[in-house]
Amino acid sequence: MALDIHFLQSEIIDQYLYDENSTRPWIIGFSGGKDSTMLLQLVWSALKKIPAELRNREVYVVCNDTLVENPKIVQFINQTLKSIQAEATIQGMPIQVHQTTPRLEDTFWVNLIGKGYPAPNNLFRWCTERLKITPTTRFILDKVSEKGEAIILLGTRSDESATRSRSMKKHEIYGQRLRKHILPNAYVYAPIKDVITDEVWQYLLQVNPPWGGTNRDLVTLYRNASGGDCPLVIDVTTPSCGTSRFGCWVCTVVKQDKSMAGLIDTGEDWMEPLVDFRDTLVETRDNPAYRQGIRKNGGEGPGPYNEFARALYLEKLLEAQKAINQVEPDVQLITHQELVAIQITWYRDSLFKYKVSDIYNKVYKSEMVMSKHDEKFRREEELLKKSCNDSTKDFDLVQELLALQKSKSLMVRKRGLQEDIEKRIQDFLSTEKKEAKQ
């Protein structure tokens, strides 16, 4: 093959050993796709050529999980990461695997179903920052804080797209391997930036991964999905997923998820509920019946999803999960923690018509208990009803205010309780005045 593997390995070895700052760790962005797999294999094989006593620089393999990744890809990547960590330990390699995930309050479902954020589009792509950039940035900044500097190794290639090529040139330091990153004291090293796509596939088919097995499963995955992987997104200059790349199954930025459609066409029929749910998000996004008439900043215009829409989306999501679990029992579309956070967020937005537990129980025909203290709460309710002289309106108001207070104690962001309570009381008084005039 035309690709000079020995040259690439020697470059990696030279950068690893003779870097002027030998303490700054390497952070390898690993997405599980063809480019990051080739990058990691090259780094691994290069490090194996270095005597064990000189392999002192820490190497972190970082993979970001948005929690809404294509389930088929998640299964593949998780198994790969386990193999990488296990074999690195056996071979005595200075490699550690880390998965980054968004904080609970930043997850896709807490934002879309909980806060009512409309499904992302090209004008309002709120997902990339919260799900991809922020989690990985936190990890990088932690390492920079520990070591003073860090080098980020990416599998980006100039051959991939004009956008990526321009982005790489913009930050490149002429005559040097490293280019500056927008994060302070962080640098980017792209060893395979000049490798073309055909050479990537040739390499992967000829060289087995040092953590065991072959790359045949990866090749099959690409062939079936007719697409590619999403890069590890670490800043706004890194393009997000293209129209045919593996990525979030809920992505509404693209017209069609070609990779998921390709997998279904090759026999993965159990993924059809995912397509149906995504299509529902696309079709209903701009429907006025699903949106509040006022924006979160108080301005007029289509605002967040209304109470009906948020409850409907949760019900359809749980129905999709239930259907999929009949074939793939280990697939989890939404976590229990997210369900709790959604209920808390509804309380914060003064939405009390629907309960997460009721929707869950309706779908699964079970008894999901959102709190271990339900019996205690029932006794409190009885006492509260007596204190309110059986006034339903007063009882409901106090219950809602208590729910707001409890939501602040459970979530990370606890500011704004007084404002939330004052707003709820003002809404209550306004309603009372309107009813009195009628």
Side-chain angles (χ1 to χ4, degrees), residues 24-55:
R24 51 186 176 185
W26 280 12
I27 300 173
I28 299 179
F30 185 77
S31 66
K34 67 182 189 307
D35 299 324
S36 61
T37 298
M38 179 181 185
L39 170 65
L40 181 55
Q41 286 192 201
L42 283 172
V43 171
W44 193 306
S45 59
L47 295 183
K48 285 290 288 185
K49 295 177 180 295
I50 299 175
E53 62 271 17
L54 297 180
R55 297 198 293 256

Side-chain angles (χ1 to χ4, degrees), residues 228-260:
D229 60 305
C230 282
L232 183 80
V233 181
I234 56 174
D235 57 63
V236 294
T237 67
T238 308
S240 192
C241 307
T243 56
S244 64
R245 295 180 179 277
F246 298 141
C248 304
W249 68 266
V250 292
C251 184
T252 49
V253 176
V254 297
K255 292 182 179 180
Q256 180 190 18
D257 188 337
K258 295 181 181 178
S259 64
M260 190 150 60

Side-chain angles (χ1 to χ4, degrees), residues 301-348:
Y305 288 128
N306 56 31
E307 192 170 10
F308 160 77
R310 300 186 206 186
L312 178 66
Y313 290 145
L314 177 59
E315 183 175 346
K316 287 188 174 297
L317 176 64
L318 292 173
E319 287 175 346
Q321 179 171 273
K322 181 181 179 183
I324 288 172
N325 287 158
Q326 294 177 2
V327 181
E328 295 286 340
D330 294 332
V331 172
Q332 185 178 42
L333 302 183
I334 186 170
T335 67
H336 179 80
Q337 290 82 357
E338 287 176 297
L339 293 173
V340 174
I342 287 170
Q343 182 64 78
I344 291 170
T345 306
W346 286 357
Y347 285 156
R348 283 185 170 184

Side-chain angles (χ1 to χ4, degrees), residues 271-297:
M271 299 177 69
E272 288 182 355
L274 302 182
V275 177
D276 293 339
F277 184 90
R278 177 199 169 277
D279 290 346
T280 297
L281 289 181
V282 174
E283 294 165 3
T284 59
R285 184 191 189 280
D286 298 318
N287 188 334
Y290 286 68
R291 304 282 287 273
Q292 295 179 4
I294 300 177
R295 301 180 189 274
K296 280 188 175 291
N297 61 9

